[in-house]
Amino acid sequence: MPKDSGIGASSKRREDVRFLTGSGNYTDDINIFGQLHVHFLRADMAHAKLNGVDTAAAEAMPGVHRVFTGADFEAVGGIPCGWLITDRFGQPMQEPRHPVLAHGKIRHVGEPICAVVADTLAQARDAAEAIVLDYETLPAVIDMKAAVSDSSVKVHEELTSNLCYDWGFVEDNRDAVDAAIKGAAHVTTLELVNNRLVANPMEPRVAVGEYNRSDDMHTLHTTSQNPHVIRLLMGAFVLGIPEHKLRVVAPDVGGGFGTKIFHYAEEAFCTFAAKALNRPVKWTSTRSEAFMSDAHGRDHVTKIELALDADNNFVAVRTETYANMGAYLSTFASSVPTWLHGTLMAGNYKTPHVYVNVKAVFTNTVPVDAYRGAGRPEATYQLERVIDMAARELGVDPIALRRQNFITEFPYATPVAVEYDTGDYHATMDKLEEIADFAGFKARRAESERNGKLRGLGINCYIEACGIAPSNLVGQLGARAGLYDAATVRVNATGSISVMVGAHSHGQGHETSFPQVISEMIGIPEDQITIVHGDTSKIPFGMGTYGSRSLAVCGSAMVRAAEKVINKAKKIAAHLLEASDGDIELKDGRFSVAGTDKSVAWGDVTLAAYVPHNYPLTDIEPGLEETAFYDPANFTYPSGAYACEVELDPETGHVKIDRFSAADDFGNIINPMIVTGQVHGGIAQGIGQAMLEGCVYDADGQLLSASYMDYAMPRALDVPFYTVDHSCQTPCTHNPLGVKGCGEAGAIGSPPSVVNAVIDAIASGSGKAVAHIDMPLTPSRVWAAMQ
Amino acid sequence: MYAFDLERPTTLDAAVKAMAAGGQPLSGGQTLIPTLKARLADPGKLISLHSIPELKGVSTDAEGRICIKGATTHGTVAAEAVAYPALAHLAARIGDPAVRTRGTIGGSLANNDPSACYPAAALGSGATICTDRREIAADDYFQGMFATALEDGEIVTEVKFPVPQVAAYEKFIQPASRFPLVAVFVAKFADGVRVAITGASETGVFRWAEAEAALSARFEASALDGLAMDPDHMIADLHGDKAYRAHLCGVMAKRAVMHAA
Ligand SMILES: Cc1cc2nc3c(=O)[nH]c(=O)nc-3n(C[C@H](O)[C@H](O)[C@H](O)COP(=O)(O)OP(=O)(O)OC[C@H]3O[C@@H](n4cnc5c(N)ncnc54)[C@H](O)[C@@H]3O)c2cc1C
């Protein structure tokens, strides 16, 4: 019998009532009396020397309050990067200044140059057209390999080159890997591109800055996945506002996918301008601005080599990746191709020798940073593609080749510095074989062939590291922040509970799943519990939501805080029941004395805590509210096996995704329905990357895919009905819930099986064999590869 | 968007008079409004064709032609041009429901986007484009990308489509915009076959003479075997190079012949 509440129940997402009835409160819904509107004049050239900006005419336009330029921000800090990478020679990465508004130089199409603040948005836009820029166009640096050649123009004059860092991991493995590859019986080499993506959350970014002179208080309402991170970065590093004078509010957020983690110039601008003008200042991104100002994702160019011995055991993996940083270092940009990518290059396999080299490169493009999966999809894609290619070259079954090399003993220390606590890769593969109906594939292929189509089956495994992250470890790796999280469990007098959490929900359903945990622990109905998030003035200092960390890290903090509450409540109950607190049991919302029929209801105990008439005031304080901070001991390691079946029209190159199956191991599961939804969404984004989405610049740095006319997002017709299963569960060994995280898995795990399936389909035809096609597998690319 | 004035005449006569005083017609706005929002046009004055009953509707004339008034939406054509199934089917697959509920045939033909659907139907059917001042044969009307025979201020009032014996429109979509990457309209009349292609050429919609000759001799997909489109004037962009588009012309033409009904 499925449960109908608590841990394991598919409780309906309570937040959907407001989302689906148009009563959510998004940042753009916030309008403050007296607010002004800002329009950013953005660069339409990729690279230029900016000699001067004449704003006089604009400033004289109707309704204009002020036109800000880069000069206005000389006295404040630049937008900071949150992670210092040390290169393979022991040197710190090159870290250029990232100004709020361009100053002296323009470095990518879309970079904000001036900000016009006016009574209405239309007035601001009109005035922006009257700004005169004095600039000299410079050659654009777009291609990463050309960017690191000695002759390249520099994106940042103050740096020695366009190379941000040359990172080796693990540098000490280098020689052993080279030797293993030299001595291998077979080496498969694959060069590929992990395509640049635009995150495209449904809600564009918005910022509303507010300043109150009477108490010198700044408030920023913003579309963020982590309000405390924004408060820290913007307050401490950019504007110099102390935390107690800065409140950051992220109300309902309509999708983040990583791109709303980062601190952006527009947030700093609105906060700064609100004080300068003593009026609230609002900015709402247009979709066109989003394409050229939201941090992009992926954009790696990789060469991977997989070496096997004569028995097809993996003996070494060596990779060389060029990772595009764009024109500036966005908040977590430097960590994505390194710690979130290199550490996963062992995958699900016991390859003894692994070496990862990453060259991060500055170009005249929009900054690139974490996007759903962040580094782990890039790792999974190259590994699972090269394994498939090796199987094809060696003429062996791709599943058998994987199984033969699976890690089977846990904990397992990989050659790339992480320790998998638990997992069972054969179990998810067994489950996949069952749910994907491999047995019926032959008949389906024959049917497709009768219709003049080719059918292909592709599979892959994945492992990811989430539940980000142990603070002392990431500190050693260069993170400039801790990655714990926090929760306050506030029990109200009549027994209902408000939980203030550092995690932020922007689609994940925390308002539903987090109460399920508390309900399970205490035994009161879920609707007695409310989650409060997204406002630094209400919640404890938490690091927000990304890296599939909310439940594993913040949920663990919530469990710890709830345990403290329960321990204290037991003492109160013991007093009321005149028993010893060691004998008190809590079940179904009642405290009872073990072995007796004496009991007292949860609500009577909580009331006693707040109306402490009959109360042990000398021993314990009144009230019932506890906070816990939780710092994870390790990452969590969700894993799984995915299968995709495609039907390809050889005449046009059009590929239809016909079936998609996913067998995941997420450890324990709080709400299966929400998990299924997360997997569905992740796979849709993975299919988007594999089949449709490609962010493309021309050689002059113009963004060619700058709107939905040219940037293809997956739609309902592009994805099949999914078969997903998460019954394989090896609980995480180091957090109290045994949960691993499920938010990114779908996006990490799906692209390789899609591409593997298309390659398989082509191989089944009579035409030329195709070893690899770069994503997105648009009809024209597939067709061209087949000619 | 720049500020503009909006006039809403209720008769064609009033619209023509308003146009004479300067302005730009606004029909479904599915092309024009996004252009205005991006500040790519500053027309000053828009004259809406939306409230003019005599510019709406689908009928059949004495010669059996399907006559569609200029401000008739794609949705209405899809529902009402049943006597010309290939045309109704084409209209039913333009954009999405929102686009089909607003967008109009007059707007589409006046705009003559090189990837629009209706131009292929009009040229492929040998339609007549009627305006407030004259009638223009489709063969004379389309004059290259976004270029037509329309003069300044001329309003498309009606389009008259001769109904072929069989016809079909095969659209291969561009994955992002879902406009045609290449689409082919094939229509078989008693006196010959017309083949019009959209999405493919740098010169906009065009007729494929070799295919017409081959199909007029023998209306079967195999009649097109061995015919190759010259990639020279094809469009090359993110979504397909010249060779791919040239190839798709052949594939889509064959499929149109196979599906002609
Ligand atoms: C998301 C989306 C998807 C689309 N997909 C497709 C597709 O698959 N295939 C396709 O063919 N089109 C597609 N379109 C375009 C759509 O069909 C438009 O409706 C059409 O191109 C223009 O018609 P309109 O009535 O909206 O014209 P408007 O936008 O109002 O006007 C367009 C132009 O024509 C002029 N004009 C309008 N009416 C007249 C008239 N009667 N006489 C003279 N000039 C006139 C206007 O001044 C303007 O210059 C799509 C549009 C969108 C937004």
Side-chain angles (χ1 to χ4, degrees):
Chain A
M1 256 287 281
K3 294 173 72 173
D4 58 10
S5 78
I7 290 178
S10 284
S11 302
K12 292 233 166 66
R13 288 173 32 121
R14 56 173 83 172
E15 46 272 82
D16 286 350
V17 175
R18 66 177 193 277
F19 295 158
L20 296 177
T21 57
S23 46
N25 181 38
Y26 295 91
T27 309
D28 193 47
D29 294 322
I30 295 170
N31 292 296
I32 301 166
F33 181 74
Q35 93 193 351
L36 304 174
H37 297 266
V38 56
H39 172 75
F40 292 97
L41 174 67
R42 295 182 184 275
D44 55 14
M45 67 300 265
H47 200 188
K49 187 162 177 287
L50 184 60
N51 296 323
V53 182
D54 182 354
T55 60
E59 244 152 338
M61 300 270 288
V64 174
H65 286 247
R66 189 167 153 188
V67 180
F68 293 81
T69 69
D72 294 306
F73 288 85
E74 266 182 303
V76 308
I79 306 288
C81 175
W83 206 301
L84 176 72
I85 298 300
T86 301
D87 75 7
R88 63 193 189 87
F89 311 104
Q91 297 302 307
M93 67 185 187
Q94 298 206 75
E95 204 172 350
R97 182 178 163 82
H98 182 178
V100 175
L101 296 177
H103 195 50
K105 213 173 160 191
I106 289 162
R107 295 189 178 86
H108 69 85
V109 166
E111 180 169 10
I113 304 169
C114 296
V116 184
V117 183
D119 288 323
T120 69
L121 185 57
Q123 288 170 331
R125 289 187 73 171
D126 284 343
E129 291 181 6
I131 294 172
V132 183
L133 301 179
D134 173 8
Y135 67 93
E136 292 160 50
T137 307
L138 297 168
V141 180
I142 301 300
D143 179 77
M144 284 194 276
K145 290 183 182 169
V148 294
S149 74
D150 292 341
S151 58
S152 177
V153 169
K154 281 194 279 186
V155 177
H156 298 275
E157 270 65 33
E158 72 269 28
L159 306 186
T160 59
S161 69
N162 293 320
L163 185 66
C164 177
Y165 54 74
D166 179 354
W167 185 76
F169 187 65
V170 173
E171 194 57 22
D172 291 344
N173 294 355
R174 196 182 172 101
D175 293 342
V177 168
D178 290 351
I181 287 176
K182 219 174 243 155
H186 184 88
V187 179
T188 298
T189 305
L190 172 60
E191 293 188 37
L192 54 81
V193 173
N194 202 291
N195 40 329
R196 180 185 274 247
L197 303 176
V198 183
N200 277 305
M202 196 182 292
E203 178 206 29
R205 288 190 296 118
V206 184
V208 188
E210 214 185 335
Y211 176 69
N212 189 337
R213 262 189 194 173
S214 67
D215 59 2
D216 189 33
M217 189 72 197
H218 301 259
T219 303
L220 170 67
H221 305 266
T222 185
T223 47
S224 175
Q225 301 176 211
N226 30 242
H228 270 111
V229 174
I230 302 304
R231 191 182 71 169
L232 181 68
L233 293 173
M234 184 176 79
F237 295 94
V238 186
L239 300 179
I241 305 170
E243 280 104 322
H244 68 300
K245 292 295 177 194
L246 176 57
R247 174 183 171 206
V248 177
V249 185
D252 285 334
V253 173
F257 311 113
T259 206
K260 289 177 183 165
I261 298 172
F262 324 122
H263 175 42
Y264 286 96
E266 294 88 353
E267 295 171 319
F269 176 81
C270 290
T271 309
F272 179 89
K275 181 172 183 183
L277 298 169
N278 197 29
R279 294 276 291 271
V281 174
K282 178 172 189 172
W283 171 70
T284 299
S285 172
T286 61
R287 187 59 67 181
S288 308
E289 284 181 285
F291 271 99
M292 55 184 172
S293 71
D294 291 4
H296 293 171
R298 317 278 193 257
D299 204 351
H300 286 189
V301 175
T302 292
K303 176 180 171 186
I304 179 166
E305 294 158 285
L306 172 67
L308 302 92
D309 69 13
D311 299 323
N312 296 338
N313 297 312
F314 300 165
V315 293
V317 167
R318 180 167 64 193
T319 75
E320 183 187 30
T321 287
Y322 288 81
N324 207 334
M325 295 288 102
Y328 299 102
L329 286 177
S330 173
T331 307
F332 285 120
S334 53
S335 67
V336 174
T338 49
W339 301 111
L340 293 175
H341 161 253
T343 48
L344 274 303
M345 280 315 306
N348 309 53
Y349 311 101
K350 51 189 181 213
T351 317
H353 301 291
V354 179
Y355 177 74
V356 178
N357 176 246
V358 178
K359 297 173 181 74
V361 182
F362 293 112
T363 59
N364 291 118
T365 62
V366 173
V368 180
D369 206 326
Y371 167 70
R372 199 169 192 171
R376 291 150 290 167
E378 294 89 322
T380 304
Y381 179 66
Q382 52 183 290
L383 191 59
E384 294 294 325
R385 278 289 299 126
V386 82
I387 292 172
D388 233 59
M389 200 169 174
R392 213 162 271 291
E393 286 175 359
L394 294 165
V396 299
D397 174 50
I399 296 179
L401 181 62
R402 285 176 170 89
R403 284 190 185 270
Q404 171 183 348
N405 286 283
F406 274 162
I407 295 161
T408 51
E409 278 164 35
F410 297 88
Y412 177 81
T414 72
V416 275
V418 289
E419 183 176 286
Y420 302 160
D421 60 338
T422 174
D424 186 346
Y425 309 144
H426 284 295
T428 44
M429 187 58 90
D430 291 345
K431 181 54 77 178
L432 183 73
E433 296 205 24
E434 178 192 324
I435 63 174
D437 184 27
F438 290 165
F441 175 71
K442 249 185 153 170
R444 291 191 293 273
R445 173 173 271 177
E447 173 67 20
S448 295
E449 285 171 356
R450 270 194 293 282
N451 297 323
K453 303 279 169 54
L454 301 173
R455 181 171 285 262
L457 172 63
I459 61 120
N460 70 269
C461 299
Y462 78 89
I463 175 128
E464 59 158 326
C466 53
I468 291 172
S471 294
N472 54 5
L473 175 64
V474 297
Q476 286 164 27
L477 306 182
R480 290 164 167 158
L483 285 169
Y484 50 84
D485 219 288
T488 298
V489 174
R490 176 178 298 161
V491 183
N492 303 308
T494 57
S496 68
I497 298 178
S498 306
V499 189
M500 279 63 78
V501 295
H504 186 279
S505 188
H506 32 277
Q508 296 86 347
H510 297 173
E511 291 171 36
T512 302
S513 56
F514 278 45
Q516 290 181 247
V517 174
I518 298 287
S519 165
E520 182 81 28
M521 291 175 75
I522 297 176
I524 59 171
E526 288 169 22
D527 65 7
Q528 293 291 300
I529 304 148
T530 280
I531 299 300
V532 178
H533 63 100
D535 183 341
T536 59
S537 72
K538 294 182 180 164
I539 61 171
F541 194 116
M543 297 305 289
T545 287
Y546 40 83
S548 307
R549 69 190 301 274
S550 300
L551 196 57
V553 185
C554 188
S556 296
M558 178 180 72
V559 169
R560 292 278 187 261
E563 284 167 356
K564 292 191 205 178
V565 160
I566 290 168
N567 285 340
K568 182 170 174 185
K570 280 184 177 170
K571 290 193 180 126
I572 304 169
H575 175 85
L576 296 176
L577 294 167
E578 296 172 337
S580 132
D581 43 316
D583 294 335
I584 301 293
E585 289 170 350
L586 171 60
K587 194 165 181 281
D588 296 335
R590 285 196 86 79
F591 295 93
S592 54
V593 183
T596 74
D597 60 358
K598 287 207 305 190
S599 72
V600 57
W602 167 258
D604 291 326
V605 172
T606 62
L607 192 64
Y610 288 92
V611 187
H613 296 163
N614 172 18
Y615 195 86
L617 281 166
T618 48
D619 297 330
I620 44 176
E621 297 165 6
L624 201 49
E625 171 169 332
E626 299 287 349
T627 294
F629 284 71
Y630 180 84
D631 204 282
N634 189 356
F635 293 90
T636 62
Y637 299 94
S639 63
Y642 284 14
C644 176
E645 228 174 282
V646 299
E647 192 174 65
L648 191 160
D649 177 351
E651 280 189 328
T652 62
H654 180 263
V655 173
K656 177 182 161 216
I657 311 266
D658 191 46
R659 300 164 70 97
F660 201 101
S661 308
D664 292 290
D665 174 0
F666 296 131
N668 292 338
I669 285 174
I670 306 301
N671 183 318
M673 179 196 71
I674 288 181
V675 169
T676 299
Q678 290 289 310
V679 176
H680 283 187
I683 296 172
Q685 279 182 305
I687 289 174
Q689 167 161 32
M691 298 303 304
L692 295 156
E693 300 183 47
C695 179
V696 182
Y697 283 92
D698 71 8
D700 297 326
Q702 289 299 325
L703 184 56
L704 299 180
S705 52
S707 80
Y708 292 136
M709 292 300 280
D710 288 301
Y711 188 92
M713 295 289 288
R715 307 177 204 214
L717 279 178
D718 298 312
V719 298
F721 282 93
Y722 310 112
T723 307
V724 306
D725 182 284
H726 20 79
S727 62
C728 298
Q729 297 175 1
T730 59
C732 169
T733 58
H734 55 80
N735 66 42
L737 289 166
V739 296
K740 294 183 173 179
C742 67
E744 297 161 296
I748 293 170
S750 52
S753 57
V754 175
V755 179
N756 290 345
V758 173
I759 300 296
D760 184 56
I762 296 172
S764 75
S766 53
K768 132 179 180 229
V770 172
H772 177 70
I773 308 174
D774 274 325
M775 303 184 290
L777 302 188
T778 57
S780 65
R781 282 191 182 184
V782 172
W783 179 80
M786 291 175 72
Q787 299 317 302
Chain B
M1 211 177 264
Y2 297 103
F4 58 84
D5 293 324
L6 178 65
E7 282 190 38
R8 277 190 258 198
T10 52
T11 64
L12 177 59
D13 219 32
V16 170
K17 285 209 181 82
M19 288 294 300
Q24 186 176 355
L26 170 67
S27 194
Q30 296 303 294
T31 296
L32 187 51
I33 298 291
T35 311
L36 297 182
K37 284 171 85 174
R39 293 195 162 208
L40 295 172
D42 185 5
K45 190 166 83 182
L46 294 181
I47 293 145
S48 170
L49 308 180
H50 189 68
S51 310
I52 304 174
E54 66 198 282
L55 279 183
K56 294 185 179 186
V58 178
S59 61
T60 305
D61 72 1
E63 295 168 40
R65 293 182 298 184
I66 296 286
C67 303
I68 302 172
K69 297 287 190 190
T72 308
T73 64
H74 311 328
T76 301
V77 175
E80 296 182 14
V82 282
Y84 193 169
L87 181 64
H89 182 61
L90 173 150
R93 293 198 304 150
I94 295 176
D96 50 42
V99 170
R100 294 193 289 274
T101 302
R102 298 291 310 185
T104 67
I105 190 168
S108 180
L109 291 178
N111 194 47
N112 192 22
D113 187 304
S115 300
C117 297
Y118 270 129
L123 190 60
S125 308
T128 301
I129 289 93
C130 311
T131 75
D132 58 314
R133 45 196 92 156
R134 58 188 167 138
E135 298 203 341
I136 311 168
D139 283 320
D140 303 324
Y141 178 85
F142 299 104
Q143 303 192 343
M145 271 197 188
F146 298 107
T148 67
L150 291 178
E151 294 162 359
D152 246 13
E154 197 169 359
I155 297 174
V156 174
T157 53
E158 191 169 17
V159 189
K160 297 178 174 167
F161 291 90
V163 180
Q165 294 166 339
V166 293
Y169 178 63
E170 279 294 320
K171 174 178 176 179
F172 191 83
I173 59 165
Q174 193 259 55
S177 71
R178 307 227 150 185
F179 274 65
L181 186 68
V182 168
V184 179
F185 198 98
V186 170
K188 178 175 183 291
F189 292 91
D191 59 353
V193 175
R194 293 175 73 102
V195 178
I197 301 183
T198 187
S201 170
E202 285 171 338
T203 56
V205 66
F206 68 101
R207 286 172 67 184
W208 189 5
E210 293 88 340
E212 290 184 353
L215 291 169
S216 296
R218 182 163 62 91
F219 194 73
E220 272 172 32
S222 61
L224 298 173
D225 285 348
L227 275 193
M229 173 65 65
D230 178 5
D232 213 34
H233 64 115
M234 294 282 113
I235 296 172
D237 62 15
L238 277 183
H239 309 284
D241 61 10
K242 289 172 184 277
Y244 183 57
R245 277 194 168 79
H247 167 74
L248 281 183
C249 290
V251 175
M252 291 298 121
K254 280 187 188 171
R255 290 185 183 181
V257 173
M258 287 189 288
H259 296 148

